Amino acid sequence: MDTVALAVTDGMLHFELSVAYEVFGAEQSDATDPLYRVAVCGPGPVRFGRFRLEPDGGLDRLPYADTVIVPGWADVDVDPPAGLVDAVRAAHEAGARVASLCTGAFVLAAAGLLDGRRATTHWAHTEVLAARYPRVEVDPDVLYVDNGSVLTSAGKAAAMDLCLHLVRLDHGSAIANRVARTLVVPPHRAGGQAQFVTAPVPSRDDHPLGDLLPWAVERLDQALTVEDLARRANMSSRNLGRHFRSATGTTPLRWLLTQRIRRAQELLESTGDSIDAIAAATGMGTATTLRRHFNRTIGVPPDAYRRTFRSARSGARQQRHGS
């Protein structure tokens, strides 16, 4: 079982800490074992805001974790505690994957883990991060940045995006989607890195599209049209378009294409099916059509995407289990 250590100290942001604990500590009712063993590690009892937290162990436990999460750091105008910085650096040197949430990037930068790397943080603090650590390539326009063993997220809700991305790397799309459903959040959000994005869907049962979208997702292998969707929703095509734009920020056809690409991603990650078979299963028709849309949307061909995700998961597991 993978171990996730949440590195805490006085001044941490409780929202990001809670997000990480919820994602990695999420219980799966149909799973025999939890996905991760989660430990909160700190120098002793810590305070953030009006809260007081008793960690499970000290910062010296970080090097023994598979993944270390550094939540947001409240006061970016002062240097983070040296003990925390040293412990995070030691964990990375020991082979742990290290991820920061929001302004936790300042801790990683202080540890030298972001030197020469692309990184992000809360948009309000990207200029400060870039000025203080000029060797870091700060990107203010993404939800998160994955450098393999070092990852950073933008602010607040982007912490959820990065945590779910880590689950997806470790256990695949199906498990990450299940965790997202448990937390009542979309598994991917529009904006930022296109490789991990899909359009959000309404979550309210009484939404006009509440029944239509799950119905369409179950029929992605079929050549659905706007007229098919409108007929199923019992509304005109124009009215359907208005509801789609309001709920998802896009058109029915664009939403369908995004769902087909997302299904193709899942099949590429979890099966050995041929590109032709995946094209048929996602309603793309031919491998040529799938490759064209996939490359345009994701930025890489389907075969390259499959190699990347399989090697990332395999490599991470070999490193963690010492094989």
Side-chain angles (χ1 to χ4, degrees):
M1 184 195 311
D2 295 342
T3 301
V4 174
L6 308 181
V8 301
T9 188
D10 289 341
M12 285 292 175
L13 299 175
H14 62 274
F15 178 84
E16 288 77 2
L17 174 62
S18 300
V19 164
Y21 196 89
E22 284 296 318
V23 171
F24 297 111
E27 295 184 2
Q28 301 297 308
S29 58
D30 56 347
T32 56
D33 297 305
L35 298 177
Y36 301 93
R37 182 183 297 111
V38 181
V40 179
C41 302
V46 299
R47 291 187 177 278
F48 41 99
R50 294 176 295 174
F51 300 95
R52 182 179 184 276
L53 177 66
E54 186 75 36
D56 300 310
L59 292 173
D60 57 351
R61 290 179 57 177
L62 297 188
Y64 301 97
D66 298 301
T67 299
V68 172
I69 305 294
V70 182
W73 176 245
D75 191 353
V76 299
D77 293 327
V78 301
D79 292 334
L84 174 63
V85 172
D86 291 342
V88 168
R89 184 189 301 113
H92 184 258
E93 292 174 349
R97 177 176 61 183
V98 179
S100 66
L101 307 180
C102 191
T103 50
F106 282 81
V107 177
L108 271 59
L113 303 189
L114 302 182
D115 288 353
R117 286 188 166 110
R118 182 165 160 263
T120 194
T121 189
H122 192 291
W123 62 266
H125 304 292
T126 51
E127 292 184 1
V128 176
L129 182 65
R132 187 174 304 169
Y133 302 100
R135 297 184 63 186
V136 180
E137 182 186 344
V138 180
D139 188 340
D141 299 321
V142 293
L143 294 176
Y144 55 86
V145 176
D146 182 349
N147 289 302
S149 63
V150 178
L151 305 92
T152 54
S153 86
K156 300 303 178 184
M160 180 74 74
D161 296 302
L162 177 53
C163 290
L164 288 172
H165 170 61
L166 292 174
V167 176
R168 189 164 177 251
L169 286 176
D170 294 340
H171 299 284
S173 293
I175 297 298
N177 292 349
R178 189 183 306 161
V179 173
R181 285 195 297 271
T182 300
L183 299 174
V184 200
V185 296
H188 314 289
R189 285 196 302 147
Q193 296 181 4
Q195 186 166 353
F196 310 105
V197 166
T198 191
V201 298
S203 58
R204 303 198 318 269
D205 293 337
D206 60 345
H207 193 279
L209 303 183
D211 293 328
L212 175 65
L213 301 191
W215 177 87
V217 167
E218 293 175 0
R219 293 163 176 79
L220 293 177
D221 59 328
Q222 302 176 21
L224 296 174
T225 65
V226 174
E227 289 72 24
D228 293 329
L229 298 177
R231 186 161 47 249
R232 174 69 185 183
N234 195 29
M235 62 179 68
S236 68
S237 297
R238 178 174 295 183
N239 196 25
L240 178 73
R242 285 197 296 268
H243 282 297
F244 257 91
R245 180 67 67 180
S246 173
T248 71
T250 190
T251 65
L253 285 181
R254 175 57 59 181
W255 180 86
L256 267 177
L257 176 61
T258 301
Q259 302 310 307
R260 296 187 197 281
I261 295 295
R262 174 182 163 192
R263 177 66 56 81
Q265 287 177 287
E266 294 175 354
L267 294 174
L268 288 166
E269 293 175 31
S270 61
T271 75
D273 293 351
S274 68
I275 302 301
D276 286 297
I278 292 176
T282 57
M284 295 284 191
T286 67
T288 300
T289 301
L290 171 60
R291 286 191 173 97
R292 183 175 70 253
H293 287 298
F294 197 94
N295 199 11
R296 182 183 301 161
T297 303
I298 304 303
V300 295
D303 308 87
Y305 179 89
R306 169 176 271 167
R307 288 194 300 270
T308 298
F309 266 84
R310 286 192 168 179
S311 63
R313 293 222 299 271
S314 175
R317 291 196 178 282
Q318 288 178 5
Q319 181 186 49
R320 286 170 204 152
H321 297 292
S323 54

